């Protein structure tokens, strides 16, 4: 059935089905065309089932183009219709892309809740692939929040589930996602290892996954400044992406190759690659991609003594960022414009764009102040602003006419300093957190003990993983790290309100409770012991099993009994538990 040209005449049911099928078929390879066709379909009177599919197709295409704000209402409409129709598969897909849109708009907490729904729905549908994808997306949401321990935990869960279910194709996807996550954390050697493992998994021909693995390897080589190897991997990725017809990804690879060319001194080749990428991104309607490419192009032109062309590229990027409401990208563009205008001696324009950068940077911080990733971005912005302020003080008398405006912005700088103080407070909080498990560390535990007051009844439980050295020796330290993460999560799941669980050191954890008697302390210790013993450790590594020994002490603090006395008693109880054969709880009165 041919696709009709654009006019206002009603379409027949067969034409609507043909157009909707075409929009669905090209949604990945050509999202711009998919969006165009979906909008044509939505202009027609539709049954609810067609309306749900067309709305999803439009939302999916907009999300693939980076237009997440526009995609969200379409995905919400598809989600509502799927609920009424009982179409659980399309409901799952709508939820998945809604979560992507939420995460990309800087709302990772909402995205996390959405991805958890996707995981539960996938499990109910018996869709293991969907469940693994949901785990990877949960990891992405945690990454956006800067919570790398939880992000890595979910990436590893996705990988473990794919191997447990013997799904090599899904295992490749999980390894690809893991490699990308390592790149994001700048753990480039680990990223290379995961990418190589992805390419080694034996599956049927899948050029899309081959391309992603090669791209991840290229990104890792680039991060390691191994530009020749990066170029080789990017060229392989481009061949695979061209086979799939994925123009969005092909454009992205052109940008990566351009960045390599720039680092290798091949400026003309880099410029051609950036311009080729822009052509593809304009064709697919990828505003975010165009903005990022223009930033790279402007950097190249600026270092090639072509400031006017660089300014033109940056102003194009600024227009695209404004049209797409891409606030993060707009912030970067204003900062780049400020630096380039200052370089060319146009100080008034430099100041105006610096002021815009500072204002938008502050708004972004305020909108997501509870996210560690956003805090780090603000920290970078503040440092950059301070460098700019110091440079401004060194400017000659040509800047005297701007003194009044600088005075007007002093209150903005004071607000930035207040944000910096808040960030330092957050960094202090991070100093009290164990990076591997996410639990409070020894320092936080000691501070908590110091806050206990005389007269309080205190229970301290020391928990030590039995034969942990053997786990490291037999299965590797990577497995040992994963064991520590999972033990921490299992223990944390048993806490009551007011309890404090910390990593005490090595394979040892410590629990502090108040107003808990001897019998209750013993019961809690037994619950913790059984939780670790009964957990299915084969998901971490086949043949792995694990137990813990616990030593507890209970006392009321007074002039004759200190916290240190309780700790010594708990330590003695732990040694007693181990000497009695391990995998047990021993308790002492301090």
């Amino acid at each position: 059935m041919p696709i009709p040209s654009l006019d206002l005449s009603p379409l027949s049911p067969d034409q609507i089905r043909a157009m909707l099928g075409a929009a669905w078929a090209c949604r990945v390879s050509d999202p711009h065309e998919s969006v165009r066709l979906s909008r044509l379909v939505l202009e027609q009177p539709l049954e609810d089932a067609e309306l749900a599919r067309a709305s999803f197709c439009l939302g999916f295409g907009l999300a693939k183009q980076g237009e997440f704000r526009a995609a969200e209402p379409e995905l919400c409409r598809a989600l509502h219709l799927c609920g009424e129709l009982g179409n659980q598969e399309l409901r799952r897909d709508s939820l998945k892309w809604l979560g992507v849109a939420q995460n990309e708009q800087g709302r990772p907490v909402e995205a996390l809740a959405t991805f958890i729904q996707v995981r539960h729905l996938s499990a109910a549908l018996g869709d293991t692939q969907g469940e693994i994808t949901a785990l990877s997306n949960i990891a992405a949401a945690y990454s956006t929040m800067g919570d790398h321990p939880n992000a890595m935990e979910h990436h590893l869960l996705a990988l473990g589930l794919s191997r447990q279910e013997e799904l090599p194709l899904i295992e490749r996807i999980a390894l690809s996602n893991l490699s990308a996550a390592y790149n994001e954390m700048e753990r480039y050697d680990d990223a290379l290892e995961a990418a190589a493992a992805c390419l080694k998994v034996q599956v049927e021909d899948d050029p899309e996954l081959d391309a992603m693995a090669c791209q991840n390897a290229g990104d890792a080589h680039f991060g390691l400044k191994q530009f020749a190897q990066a170029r080789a991997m990017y060229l392989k990725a481009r061949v695979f992406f061209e086979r799939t017809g994925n123009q969005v990804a092909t454009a992205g690879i052109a940008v990566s190759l351009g960045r390599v060319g720039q680092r290798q001194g091949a400026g003309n080749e880099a410029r051609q690659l950036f311009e080729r990428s822009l052509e593809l991104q304009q064709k697919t309607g990828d505003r975010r991609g165009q903005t990022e490419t223009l930033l790279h192009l402007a950097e190249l032109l600026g270092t090639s003594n072509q400031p006017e062309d660089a300014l033109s590229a940056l102003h194009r990027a600024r227009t695209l960022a404004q049209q797409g409401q891409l606030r993060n990208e707009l912030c970067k563009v204003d900062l780049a414009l400020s630096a380039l205008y200052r370089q060319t001696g146009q100080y008034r324009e430099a100041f105006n764009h610096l002021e815009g950068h500072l204002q938008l940077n502050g708004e972004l911080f305020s909108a997501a102040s509870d996210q560690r990733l956003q805090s780090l971005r603000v920290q970078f912005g503040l440092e950059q602003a301070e460098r700019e302020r110091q440079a401004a003080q060194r400017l000659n008398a040509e800047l005297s006419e701007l003194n009044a405006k600088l005075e007007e912005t002093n209150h903005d700088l004071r607000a930035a300093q207040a944000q910096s103080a808040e960030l330092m407070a957050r960094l202090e909080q991070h100093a009290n957190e164990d990076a591997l498990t996410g639990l409070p560390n020894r320092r936080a535990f000691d501070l908590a003990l110091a806050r206990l007051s005389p007269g309080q009844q205190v229970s301290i439980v020391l928990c030590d993983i039995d034969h942990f050295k053997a786990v490291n020796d037999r299965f590797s330290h990577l497995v040992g790290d994963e064991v520590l993460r999972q033990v921490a999560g299992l223990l944390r799941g048993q806490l009551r309100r007011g309890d404090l669980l910390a990593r005490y050191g090595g394979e040892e954890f410590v629990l502090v409770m108040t107003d808990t008697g001897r019998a209750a302390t013993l019961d809690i210790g037994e619950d913790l012991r059984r939780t670790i013993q009964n957990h299915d450790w084969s998901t971490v590594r086949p043949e792995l099993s694990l137990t813990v020994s616990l030593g507890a002490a209970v006392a009321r603090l007074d002039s004759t009994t200190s916290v240190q006395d309780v700790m010594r008693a708990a330590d003695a109880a732990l040694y007693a538990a181990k000497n009695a054969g391990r995998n047990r709880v021993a308790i002492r009165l301090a």
Side-chain angles (χ1 to χ4, degrees), residues 351-572:
F351 177 81
N352 288 340
H353 284 289
L354 176 59
E355 188 176 32
H357 164 75
L358 287 171
Q359 180 178 351
L360 183 53
N361 205 35
E363 291 173 1
L364 289 171
F365 178 83
S366 298
S369 60
D370 60 332
Q371 299 169 24
R372 278 184 280 180
L373 177 61
Q374 198 68 9
S375 296
L376 292 173
R377 287 178 176 171
V378 170
Q379 182 184 26
F380 171 79
L382 291 173
E383 292 170 352
Q384 185 70 21
E386 179 62 18
R387 286 194 291 270
E388 294 291 344
R389 187 188 66 79
Q390 292 174 359
Q393 290 176 341
R394 295 190 297 268
L395 290 176
N396 58 31
E398 295 179 35
L399 290 178
S400 59
E401 63 185 272
L402 298 177
N403 285 339
K405 281 193 174 182
L406 284 171
E407 183 60 29
E408 293 173 2
T409 61
N410 277 341
H411 71 279
D412 293 332
L413 291 174
R414 285 191 292 271
Q417 290 165 357
Q419 292 173 355
S420 178
E422 181 181 348
L423 179 59
M424 292 303 297
R426 289 181 180 274
L427 291 175
E428 172 67 18
Q429 177 184 352
H430 298 164
N432 292 325
E433 182 178 284
D434 177 56
L436 179 65
T437 64
L439 292 177
N441 59 17
R442 175 71 175 270
R443 181 174 184 268
F445 171 72
D446 290 341
L447 290 173
L449 288 189
R451 289 193 293 269
L452 294 173
S453 57
Q456 280 189 288
Q457 182 166 318
V458 176
S459 298
I460 295 179
V461 181
L462 285 170
C463 174
D464 187 87
I465 300 175
D466 295 330
H467 304 298
F468 183 70
K469 183 178 183 302
V471 174
N472 283 331
D473 293 343
R474 181 181 179 188
F475 296 105
S476 82
H477 286 275
L478 286 176
V479 172
D481 286 349
E482 178 60 19
V483 165
L484 287 170
R485 278 190 289 266
Q486 292 207 21
V487 167
L490 292 168
L491 295 177
R492 183 165 41 204
Q494 300 296 313
L495 295 184
R496 309 168 305 169
R497 182 185 297 274
D499 293 346
L500 172 67
L501 175 68
R503 185 179 178 193
Y504 196 61
E507 65 269 28
E508 227 172 37
F509 300 86
V510 61
L511 171 64
V512 181
M513 303 175 288
T514 57
D515 300 323
T516 305
R518 186 180 189 279
T521 299
L522 185 59
D523 288 342
I524 290 170
E526 282 293 338
D527 287 342
L528 297 177
R529 184 192 65 76
R530 284 192 295 269
T531 296
I532 302 303
Q533 179 181 351
N534 296 336
H535 182 66
D536 182 9
W537 293 102
S538 65
T539 59
V540 176
R541 185 59 64 90
E543 301 181 5
L544 174 64
S545 62
L546 211 69
T547 62
V548 294
S549 299
L550 299 100
V554 182
R556 186 172 299 278
L557 302 180
D558 54 29
S559 58
T560 61
T561 304
S562 67
V563 170
Q564 288 72 27
D565 294 330
V566 185
M567 277 296 300
R568 282 191 287 270
D571 194 46

Side-chain angles (χ1 to χ4, degrees), residues 222 231 256-267 269-270 273:
F222 189 92
R231 175 183 174 83
S256 298
L257 284 166
R259 293 179 67 204
V260 170
Q262 182 179 355
R263 297 302 187 278
Q264 293 181 317
E269 178 188 354
L273 285 162

Side-chain angles (χ1 to χ4, degrees), residues 21-289:
W24 182 268
C26 70
R27 69 192 188 282
V28 174
S29 61
D30 191 353
H32 182 69
E33 177 65 8
S34 181
V35 166
R36 186 187 75 85
L37 292 171
S38 299
R39 282 176 169 153
L40 285 175
V41 170
L42 287 168
E43 292 175 358
Q44 305 296 317
L46 301 172
E47 298 291 336
D48 281 353
E50 293 170 332
L51 180 58
R53 195 173 184 210
S55 298
F56 170 76
C57 210
L58 177 56
F60 178 95
L62 290 168
K64 291 289 285 185
Q65 292 178 182
E67 298 182 44
F68 300 106
R69 188 183 299 273
E72 186 169 350
E74 301 300 333
L75 293 166
C76 286
R77 177 167 61 178
L79 185 61
H80 173 73
L81 289 166
C82 289
E84 292 185 343
L85 294 166
N87 187 337
Q88 298 303 311
E89 288 80 8
L90 192 57
R91 179 169 175 262
R92 173 204 57 208
D93 295 341
S94 300
L95 276 169
K96 169 188 169 182
W97 284 97
L98 177 60
V100 171
Q102 291 166 337
N103 197 42
E104 291 292 337
Q105 291 179 83
R107 289 148 50 202
V109 176
E110 292 180 48
L112 183 61
T114 302
F115 290 140
I116 289 172
Q117 288 187 64
V118 176
R119 183 184 181 187
H120 292 161
L121 183 55
S122 298
L125 292 170
D127 177 15
T128 303
Q129 180 175 348
E131 188 175 358
I132 295 171
T133 301
L135 285 168
S136 297
N137 285 328
I138 289 170
Y142 276 124
S143 292
T144 302
M145 290 185 280
D147 189 347
H148 294 302
N150 268 320
M152 291 306 301
E153 177 182 348
H154 284 81
H155 278 308
L156 291 169
L157 281 173
L159 180 59
L161 184 57
S162 65
R163 288 173 172 171
Q164 175 185 326
E165 298 294 325
E166 297 182 352
L167 298 170
L169 177 61
I170 310 305
E171 180 184 351
R172 290 196 74 193
I173 295 172
L175 283 166
S176 177
N177 290 334
L178 186 62
S179 178
Y182 279 134
N183 273 325
E184 184 180 345
M185 297 167 65
E186 299 183 4
R187 292 172 57 176
Y188 301 120
D189 290 325
D190 291 329
L192 278 173
E193 183 180 349
C198 177
L199 289 168
K200 287 179 182 177
V201 177
Q202 298 297 317
V203 295
E204 295 181 6
D205 184 39
D206 190 332
E208 185 84 19
L209 274 175
D210 290 333
M212 291 170 64
C214 291
Q215 182 176 17
N216 288 332
D219 290 343
H221 283 302
F222 189 92
L224 293 167
K225 298 183 172 27
Q226 299 168 351
F227 300 120
Q229 296 95 318
R231 175 183 174 83
M233 296 310 298
Y234 288 144
L235 287 172
K236 288 183 180 180
R238 184 172 68 180
V239 171
F240 287 126
F241 277 133
E242 287 174 348
R243 282 178 57 193
T244 68
N246 189 334
Q247 297 184 66
V248 175
T250 302
I253 287 295
V255 172
S256 298
L257 284 166
R259 293 179 67 204
V260 170
Q262 182 179 355
R263 297 302 187 278
Q264 293 181 317
N268 290 334
E269 178 188 354
R271 182 169 183 172
Q272 291 173 2
L273 285 162
F274 290 146
E275 289 173 348
R276 173 56 179 158
S277 175
L278 286 169
E279 291 176 7
L280 291 172
Q281 289 162 342
Q282 288 167 357
K283 182 178 179 182
T284 58
D286 183 3
R287 286 178 177 164
R288 187 186 299 272

